[in-house]
PDB file of all heavy atoms in Angstrom:
ATOM      1  N   ALA A 932       2.397   5.006   0.571  1.00  0.00           N
ATOM      2  CA  ALA A 932       2.498   5.906   1.726  1.00  0.00           C
ATOM      3  C   ALA A 932       1.567   7.095   1.575  1.00  0.00           C
ATOM      4  O   ALA A 932       1.322   7.818   2.528  1.00  0.00           O
ATOM      5  CB  ALA A 932       3.939   6.380   1.866  1.00  0.00           C
ATOM      6  N   PRO A 947     -14.995   2.987   6.766  1.00  0.00           N
ATOM      7  CA  PRO A 947     -13.571   3.273   6.636  1.00  0.00           C
ATOM      8  C   PRO A 947     -13.150   3.108   5.185  1.00  0.00           C
ATOM      9  O   PRO A 947     -13.500   2.128   4.545  1.00  0.00           O
ATOM     10  CB  PRO A 947     -12.903   2.240   7.534  1.00  0.00           C
ATOM     11  CG  PRO A 947     -13.924   1.203   7.790  1.00  0.00           C
ATOM     12  CD  PRO A 947     -15.272   1.814   7.568  1.00  0.00           C
ATOM     13  N   ASP A 953      -4.095  -6.500   4.023  1.00  0.00           N
ATOM     14  CA  ASP A 953      -4.482  -7.902   4.091  1.00  0.00           C
ATOM     15  C   ASP A 953      -3.743  -8.684   3.023  1.00  0.00           C
ATOM     16  O   ASP A 953      -3.148  -8.131   2.111  1.00  0.00           O
ATOM     17  CB  ASP A 953      -5.988  -8.067   3.863  1.00  0.00           C
ATOM     18  CG  ASP A 953      -6.813  -7.562   5.029  1.00  0.00           C
ATOM     19  OD1 ASP A 953      -6.304  -7.517   6.158  1.00  0.00           O
ATOM     20  OD2 ASP A 953      -7.971  -7.202   4.789  1.00  0.00           O
ATOM     21  N   ARG A 956      -4.866 -12.393  -1.583  1.00  0.00           N
ATOM     22  CA  ARG A 956      -5.838 -13.420  -1.943  1.00  0.00           C
ATOM     23  C   ARG A 956      -7.175 -13.226  -1.245  1.00  0.00           C
ATOM     24  O   ARG A 956      -8.187 -13.715  -1.703  1.00  0.00           O
ATOM     25  CB  ARG A 956      -5.296 -14.807  -1.613  1.00  0.00           C
ATOM     26  CG  ARG A 956      -4.077 -15.196  -2.443  1.00  0.00           C
ATOM     27  CD  ARG A 956      -3.425 -16.405  -1.879  1.00  0.00           C
ATOM     28  NE  ARG A 956      -2.944 -16.052  -0.533  1.00  0.00           N
ATOM     29  CZ  ARG A 956      -2.416 -16.891   0.321  1.00  0.00           C
ATOM     30  NH1 ARG A 956      -2.300 -18.150   0.017  1.00  0.00           N
ATOM     31  NH2 ARG A 956      -1.990 -16.500   1.502  1.00  0.00           N
ATOM     32  N   LEU A 959     -11.166  -8.594  -1.969  1.00  0.00           N
ATOM     33  CA  LEU A 959     -12.131  -8.761  -3.063  1.00  0.00           C
ATOM     34  C   LEU A 959     -11.705  -8.052  -4.339  1.00  0.00           C
ATOM     35  O   LEU A 959     -11.980  -8.521  -5.444  1.00  0.00           O
ATOM     36  CB  LEU A 959     -13.498  -8.247  -2.628  1.00  0.00           C
ATOM     37  CG  LEU A 959     -14.193  -9.069  -1.557  1.00  0.00           C
ATOM     38  CD1 LEU A 959     -15.445  -8.364  -1.082  1.00  0.00           C
ATOM     39  CD2 LEU A 959     -14.521 -10.443  -2.094  1.00  0.00           C
ATOM     40  N   TRP A 961      -8.658  -7.651  -5.512  1.00  0.00           N
ATOM     41  CA  TRP A 961      -7.713  -8.494  -6.239  1.00  0.00           C
ATOM     42  C   TRP A 961      -8.343  -9.813  -6.651  1.00  0.00           C
ATOM     43  O   TRP A 961      -8.014 -10.351  -7.716  1.00  0.00           O
ATOM     44  CB  TRP A 961      -6.453  -8.721  -5.416  1.00  0.00           C
ATOM     45  CG  TRP A 961      -5.636  -7.475  -5.315  1.00  0.00           C
ATOM     46  CD1 TRP A 961      -5.370  -6.755  -4.197  1.00  0.00           C
ATOM     47  CD2 TRP A 961      -5.018  -6.777  -6.393  1.00  0.00           C
ATOM     48  NE1 TRP A 961      -4.623  -5.645  -4.517  1.00  0.00           N
ATOM     49  CE2 TRP A 961      -4.382  -5.630  -5.850  1.00  0.00           C
ATOM     50  CE3 TRP A 961      -4.928  -6.988  -7.767  1.00  0.00           C
ATOM     51  CZ2 TRP A 961      -3.678  -4.721  -6.632  1.00  0.00           C
ATOM     52  CZ3 TRP A 961      -4.224  -6.076  -8.550  1.00  0.00           C
ATOM     53  CH2 TRP A 961      -3.611  -4.968  -7.981  1.00  0.00           C
ATOM     54  N   ALA A 962      -9.250 -10.349  -5.851  1.00  0.00           N
ATOM     55  CA  ALA A 962      -9.918 -11.599  -6.231  1.00  0.00           C
ATOM     56  C   ALA A 962     -10.668 -11.415  -7.546  1.00  0.00           C
ATOM     57  O   ALA A 962     -10.627 -12.279  -8.425  1.00  0.00           O
ATOM     58  CB  ALA A 962     -10.876 -12.038  -5.127  1.00  0.00           C
ATOM     59  N   LEU A 967     -10.038 -12.146 -13.917  1.00  0.00           N
ATOM     60  CA  LEU A 967     -10.325 -11.727 -15.292  1.00  0.00           C
ATOM     61  C   LEU A 967      -9.372 -12.412 -16.265  1.00  0.00           C
ATOM     62  O   LEU A 967      -8.230 -12.726 -15.925  1.00  0.00           O
ATOM     63  CB  LEU A 967     -10.226 -10.205 -15.419  1.00  0.00           C
ATOM     64  CG  LEU A 967     -11.277  -9.434 -14.618  1.00  0.00           C
ATOM     65  CD1 LEU A 967     -11.001  -7.932 -14.673  1.00  0.00           C
ATOM     66  CD2 LEU A 967     -12.671  -9.729 -15.134  1.00  0.00           C
ATOM     67  N   ASN A 969      -7.869 -11.488 -19.265  1.00  0.00           N
ATOM     68  CA  ASN A 969      -6.696 -10.904 -19.916  1.00  0.00           C
ATOM     69  C   ASN A 969      -6.265  -9.605 -19.252  1.00  0.00           C
ATOM     70  O   ASN A 969      -7.002  -8.997 -18.478  1.00  0.00           O
ATOM     71  CB  ASN A 969      -6.937 -10.706 -21.416  1.00  0.00           C
ATOM     72  CG  ASN A 969      -8.044  -9.715 -21.701  1.00  0.00           C
ATOM     73  OD1 ASN A 969      -7.990  -8.574 -21.247  1.00  0.00           O
ATOM     74  ND2 ASN A 969      -9.048 -10.138 -22.453  1.00  0.00           N
ATOM     75  N   ALA A 970      -5.047  -9.207 -19.582  1.00  0.00           N
ATOM     76  CA  ALA A 970      -4.432  -8.035 -18.957  1.00  0.00           C
ATOM     77  C   ALA A 970      -5.199  -6.753 -19.271  1.00  0.00           C
ATOM     78  O   ALA A 970      -5.302  -5.868 -18.412  1.00  0.00           O
ATOM     79  CB  ALA A 970      -2.979  -7.904 -19.407  1.00  0.00           C
ATOM     80  N   GLU A 971      -5.738  -6.632 -20.452  1.00  0.00           N
ATOM     81  CA  GLU A 971      -6.483  -5.420 -20.823  1.00  0.00           C
ATOM     82  C   GLU A 971      -7.754  -5.279 -19.986  1.00  0.00           C
ATOM     83  O   GLU A 971      -8.089  -4.186 -19.525  1.00  0.00           O
ATOM     84  CB  GLU A 971      -6.823  -5.434 -22.312  1.00  0.00           C
ATOM     85  CG  GLU A 971      -7.595  -4.233 -22.785  1.00  0.00           C
ATOM     86  CD  GLU A 971      -6.893  -2.895 -22.537  1.00  0.00           C
ATOM     87  OE1 GLU A 971      -5.657  -2.859 -22.484  1.00  0.00           O
ATOM     88  OE2 GLU A 971      -7.595  -1.875 -22.399  1.00  0.00           O
ATOM     89  N   ARG A 973      -8.185  -6.561 -16.987  1.00  0.00           N
ATOM     90  CA  ARG A 973      -7.736  -6.238 -15.631  1.00  0.00           C
ATOM     91  C   ARG A 973      -7.392  -4.762 -15.511  1.00  0.00           C
ATOM     92  O   ARG A 973      -7.772  -4.104 -14.541  1.00  0.00           O
ATOM     93  CB  ARG A 973      -6.527  -7.091 -15.241  1.00  0.00           C
ATOM     94  CG  ARG A 973      -6.897  -8.492 -14.802  1.00  0.00           C
ATOM     95  CD  ARG A 973      -5.708  -9.244 -14.226  1.00  0.00           C
ATOM     96  NE  ARG A 973      -4.700  -9.545 -15.228  1.00  0.00           N
ATOM     97  CZ  ARG A 973      -4.765 -10.554 -16.088  1.00  0.00           C
ATOM     98  NH1 ARG A 973      -5.794 -11.370 -16.062  1.00  0.00           N
ATOM     99  NH2 ARG A 973      -3.811 -10.754 -16.955  1.00  0.00           N
ATOM    100  N   ARG A 982     -11.318   4.581  -9.689  1.00  0.00           N
ATOM    101  CA  ARG A 982     -12.096   5.826  -9.822  1.00  0.00           C
ATOM    102  C   ARG A 982     -13.302   5.817  -8.876  1.00  0.00           C
ATOM    103  O   ARG A 982     -13.635   6.845  -8.281  1.00  0.00           O
ATOM    104  CB  ARG A 982     -12.516   6.034 -11.274  1.00  0.00           C
ATOM    105  CG  ARG A 982     -11.373   6.554 -12.145  1.00  0.00           C
ATOM    106  CD  ARG A 982     -11.829   6.874 -13.562  1.00  0.00           C
ATOM    107  NE  ARG A 982     -12.129   5.692 -14.330  1.00  0.00           N
ATOM    108  CZ  ARG A 982     -11.220   4.954 -14.972  1.00  0.00           C
ATOM    109  NH1 ARG A 982      -9.949   5.280 -14.942  1.00  0.00           N
ATOM    110  NH2 ARG A 982     -11.592   3.895 -15.669  1.00  0.00           N
ATOM    111  N   MET A 987     -15.875   7.840  -3.868  1.00  0.00           N
ATOM    112  CA  MET A 987     -16.350   7.602  -2.511  1.00  0.00           C
ATOM    113  C   MET A 987     -15.594   8.434  -1.487  1.00  0.00           C
ATOM    114  O   MET A 987     -16.140   8.779  -0.443  1.00  0.00           O
ATOM    115  CB  MET A 987     -16.237   6.117  -2.175  1.00  0.00           C
ATOM    116  CG  MET A 987     -17.210   5.258  -2.932  1.00  0.00           C
ATOM    117  SD  MET A 987     -16.976   3.507  -2.602  1.00  0.00           S
ATOM    118  CE  MET A 987     -17.344   3.440  -0.868  1.00  0.00           C
ATOM    119  N   ALA A 988     -14.343   8.742  -1.780  1.00  0.00           N
ATOM    120  CA  ALA A 988     -13.532   9.557  -0.872  1.00  0.00           C
ATOM    121  C   ALA A 988     -13.683  11.052  -1.163  1.00  0.00           C
ATOM    122  O   ALA A 988     -12.934  11.865  -0.635  1.00  0.00           O
ATOM    123  CB  ALA A 988     -12.068   9.146  -0.977  1.00  0.00           C
ATOM    124  N   GLN A 990     -13.030  12.698  -3.906  1.00  0.00           N
ATOM    125  CA  GLN A 990     -11.895  13.195  -4.679  1.00  0.00           C
ATOM    126  C   GLN A 990     -12.253  13.164  -6.163  1.00  0.00           C
ATOM    127  O   GLN A 990     -13.196  12.493  -6.565  1.00  0.00           O
ATOM    128  CB  GLN A 990     -10.656  12.315  -4.451  1.00  0.00           C
ATOM    129  CG  GLN A 990     -10.171  12.288  -3.024  1.00  0.00           C
ATOM    130  CD  GLN A 990      -9.571  13.608  -2.610  1.00  0.00           C
ATOM    131  OE1 GLN A 990      -8.840  14.237  -3.366  1.00  0.00           O
ATOM    132  NE2 GLN A 990      -9.893  14.047  -1.410  1.00  0.00           N
ATOM    133  N   PRO A 992     -12.263  11.760  -9.620  1.00  0.00           N
ATOM    134  CA  PRO A 992     -12.045  10.357  -9.998  1.00  0.00           C
ATOM    135  C   PRO A 992     -10.778  10.136 -10.813  1.00  0.00           C
ATOM    136  O   PRO A 992     -10.192   9.058 -10.772  1.00  0.00           O
ATOM    137  CB  PRO A 992     -13.290   9.981 -10.793  1.00  0.00           C
ATOM    138  CG  PRO A 992     -14.014  11.235 -11.061  1.00  0.00           C
ATOM    139  CD  PRO A 992     -13.531  12.278 -10.114  1.00  0.00           C
ATOM    140  N   LYS A1002      -2.081  16.251 -11.646  1.00  0.00           N
ATOM    141  CA  LYS A1002      -2.271  14.995 -10.923  1.00  0.00           C
ATOM    142  C   LYS A1002      -1.891  15.184  -9.456  1.00  0.00           C
ATOM    143  O   LYS A1002      -0.885  15.796  -9.140  1.00  0.00           O
ATOM    144  CB  LYS A1002      -1.429  13.872 -11.529  1.00  0.00           C
ATOM    145  CG  LYS A1002      -1.833  13.510 -12.952  1.00  0.00           C
ATOM    146  CD  LYS A1002      -3.146  12.783 -12.974  1.00  0.00           C
ATOM    147  CE  LYS A1002      -3.499  12.351 -14.386  1.00  0.00           C
ATOM    148  NZ  LYS A1002      -4.736  11.629 -14.455  1.00  0.00           N
ATOM    149  N   SER A1013      -8.051  -0.457  -1.257  1.00  0.00           N
ATOM    150  CA  SER A1013      -8.150  -0.013   0.130  1.00  0.00           C
ATOM    151  C   SER A1013      -9.579   0.008   0.671  1.00  0.00           C
ATOM    152  O   SER A1013      -9.785   0.327   1.830  1.00  0.00           O
ATOM    153  CB  SER A1013      -7.528   1.380   0.259  1.00  0.00           C
ATOM    154  OG  SER A1013      -8.225   2.302  -0.544  1.00  0.00           O
ATOM    155  N   HIS A1017     -16.802  -5.638   0.940  1.00  0.00           N
ATOM    156  CA  HIS A1017     -17.734  -6.595   1.552  1.00  0.00           C
ATOM    157  C   HIS A1017     -18.678  -5.930   2.555  1.00  0.00           C
ATOM    158  O   HIS A1017     -19.685  -6.523   2.933  1.00  0.00           O
ATOM    159  CB  HIS A1017     -16.965  -7.729   2.225  1.00  0.00           C
ATOM    160  CG  HIS A1017     -16.105  -7.287   3.365  1.00  0.00           C
ATOM    161  ND1 HIS A1017     -14.909  -6.625   3.176  1.00  0.00           N
ATOM    162  CD2 HIS A1017     -16.288  -7.387   4.700  1.00  0.00           C
ATOM    163  CE1 HIS A1017     -14.387  -6.349   4.355  1.00  0.00           C
ATOM    164  NE2 HIS A1017     -15.200  -6.799   5.298  1.00  0.00           N
ATOM    165  N   ALA A1021     -26.991  -2.358   0.018  1.00  0.00           N
ATOM    166  CA  ALA A1021     -27.763  -1.857  -1.127  1.00  0.00           C
ATOM    167  C   ALA A1021     -27.803  -0.336  -1.158  1.00  0.00           C
ATOM    168  O   ALA A1021     -27.622   0.275  -2.225  1.00  0.00           O
ATOM    169  CB  ALA A1021     -29.178  -2.422  -1.100  1.00  0.00           C
ATOM    170  N   THR A1024     -24.513   1.015  -2.481  1.00  0.00           N
ATOM    171  CA  THR A1024     -24.325   0.860  -3.926  1.00  0.00           C
ATOM    172  C   THR A1024     -25.232   1.798  -4.710  1.00  0.00           C
ATOM    173  O   THR A1024     -24.848   2.280  -5.768  1.00  0.00           O
ATOM    174  CB  THR A1024     -24.540  -0.599  -4.368  1.00  0.00           C
ATOM    175  OG1 THR A1024     -25.851  -1.015  -4.018  1.00  0.00           O
ATOM    176  CG2 THR A1024     -23.520  -1.515  -3.727  1.00  0.00           C
ATOM    177  N   GLN A1025     -26.405   2.091  -4.176  1.00  0.00           N
ATOM    178  CA  GLN A1025     -27.271   3.079  -4.838  1.00  0.00           C
ATOM    179  C   GLN A1025     -26.599   4.441  -4.853  1.00  0.00           C
ATOM    180  O   GLN A1025     -26.643   5.160  -5.850  1.00  0.00           O
ATOM    181  CB  GLN A1025     -28.624   3.162  -4.139  1.00  0.00           C
ATOM    182  CG  GLN A1025     -29.494   1.956  -4.365  1.00  0.00           C
ATOM    183  CD  GLN A1025     -30.739   1.974  -3.490  1.00  0.00           C
ATOM    184  OE1 GLN A1025     -30.882   2.786  -2.581  1.00  0.00           O
ATOM    185  NE2 GLN A1025     -31.659   1.060  -3.770  1.00  0.00           N
ATOM    186  N   ARG A1026     -25.981   4.809  -3.737  1.00  0.00           N
ATOM    187  CA  ARG A1026     -25.284   6.093  -3.668  1.00  0.00           C
ATOM    188  C   ARG A1026     -24.083   6.108  -4.613  1.00  0.00           C
ATOM    189  O   ARG A1026     -23.827   7.104  -5.282  1.00  0.00           O
ATOM    190  CB  ARG A1026     -24.854   6.385  -2.230  1.00  0.00           C
ATOM    191  CG  ARG A1026     -24.108   7.673  -2.074  1.00  0.00           C
ATOM    192  CD  ARG A1026     -24.996   8.879  -2.382  1.00  0.00           C
ATOM    193  NE  ARG A1026     -24.212  10.089  -2.301  1.00  0.00           N
ATOM    194  CZ  ARG A1026     -24.297  11.102  -3.146  1.00  0.00           C
ATOM    195  NH1 ARG A1026     -25.190  11.079  -4.115  1.00  0.00           N
ATOM    196  NH2 ARG A1026     -23.539  12.141  -3.016  1.00  0.00           N
ATOM    197  N   ILE A1027     -23.362   5.016  -4.672  1.00  0.00           N
ATOM    198  CA  ILE A1027     -22.207   4.941  -5.580  1.00  0.00           C
ATOM    199  C   ILE A1027     -22.673   5.074  -7.022  1.00  0.00           C
ATOM    200  O   ILE A1027     -22.054   5.787  -7.818  1.00  0.00           O
ATOM    201  CB  ILE A1027     -21.421   3.625  -5.367  1.00  0.00           C
ATOM    202  CG1 ILE A1027     -20.775   3.623  -3.979  1.00  0.00           C
ATOM    203  CG2 ILE A1027     -20.364   3.450  -6.452  1.00  0.00           C
ATOM    204  CD1 ILE A1027     -20.239   2.276  -3.558  1.00  0.00           C
ATOM    205  N   ARG A1037     -12.772  16.369 -17.353  1.00  0.00           N
ATOM    206  CA  ARG A1037     -12.342  17.627 -17.960  1.00  0.00           C
ATOM    207  C   ARG A1037     -11.964  17.363 -19.416  1.00  0.00           C
ATOM    208  O   ARG A1037     -11.120  16.524 -19.696  1.00  0.00           O
ATOM    209  CB  ARG A1037     -11.156  18.202 -17.196  1.00  0.00           C
ATOM    210  CG  ARG A1037     -10.753  19.593 -17.614  1.00  0.00           C
ATOM    211  CD  ARG A1037      -9.605  20.115 -16.780  1.00  0.00           C
ATOM    212  NE  ARG A1037      -9.876  20.052 -15.362  1.00  0.00           N
ATOM    213  CZ  ARG A1037     -10.495  21.005 -14.676  1.00  0.00           C
ATOM    214  NH1 ARG A1037     -10.900  22.085 -15.283  1.00  0.00           N
ATOM    215  NH2 ARG A1037     -10.681  20.874 -13.382  1.00  0.00           N
ATOM    216  N   GLY A1041     -10.755  22.184 -21.172  1.00  0.00           N
ATOM    217  CA  GLY A1041     -10.927  22.516 -19.760  1.00  0.00           C
ATOM    218  C   GLY A1041     -12.351  22.538 -19.259  1.00  0.00           C
ATOM    219  O   GLY A1041     -12.593  22.813 -18.092  1.00  0.00           O
ATOM    220  N   TRP A1046     -19.622  11.945 -17.828  1.00  0.00           N
ATOM    221  CA  TRP A1046     -19.122  10.713 -18.413  1.00  0.00           C
ATOM    222  C   TRP A1046     -20.141  10.198 -19.420  1.00  0.00           C
ATOM    223  O   TRP A1046     -21.344  10.370 -19.250  1.00  0.00           O
ATOM    224  CB  TRP A1046     -18.936   9.652 -17.345  1.00  0.00           C
ATOM    225  CG  TRP A1046     -17.761   9.862 -16.427  1.00  0.00           C
ATOM    226  CD1 TRP A1046     -16.831  10.851 -16.476  1.00  0.00           C
ATOM    227  CD2 TRP A1046     -17.396   9.041 -15.325  1.00  0.00           C
ATOM    228  NE1 TRP A1046     -15.919  10.701 -15.471  1.00  0.00           N
ATOM    229  CE2 TRP A1046     -16.241   9.596 -14.753  1.00  0.00           C
ATOM    230  CE3 TRP A1046     -17.946   7.900 -14.759  1.00  0.00           C
ATOM    231  CZ2 TRP A1046     -15.612   9.033 -13.641  1.00  0.00           C
ATOM    232  CZ3 TRP A1046     -17.325   7.343 -13.655  1.00  0.00           C
ATOM    233  CH2 TRP A1046     -16.170   7.900 -13.110  1.00  0.00           C
ATOM    234  N   LYS A1053     -19.644   0.889 -17.735  1.00  0.00           N
ATOM    235  CA  LYS A1053     -18.453   0.084 -17.462  1.00  0.00           C
ATOM    236  C   LYS A1053     -18.110   0.126 -15.969  1.00  0.00           C
ATOM    237  O   LYS A1053     -17.751  -0.887 -15.372  1.00  0.00           O
ATOM    238  CB  LYS A1053     -17.281   0.582 -18.304  1.00  0.00           C
ATOM    239  CG  LYS A1053     -16.024  -0.243 -18.130  1.00  0.00           C
ATOM    240  CD  LYS A1053     -14.974   0.071 -19.176  1.00  0.00           C
ATOM    241  CE  LYS A1053     -14.341   1.405 -18.921  1.00  0.00           C
ATOM    242  NZ  LYS A1053     -13.125   1.610 -19.727  1.00  0.00           N
TER     243      LYS A1053
END
Side-chain angles (χ1 to χ4, degrees):
D953 289 335
R956 295 168 297 174
L959 291 173
W961 289 115
L967 295 173
N969 64 56
E971 180 58 27
R973 280 189 292 280
R982 283 185 289 277
M987 290 176 63
Q990 298 290 318
K1002 296 288 183 179
S1013 61
H1017 64 285
T1024 59
Q1025 288 171 350
R1026 179 66 184 139
I1027 293 168
R1037 188 178 306 273
W1046 287 357
K1053 183 168 73 167

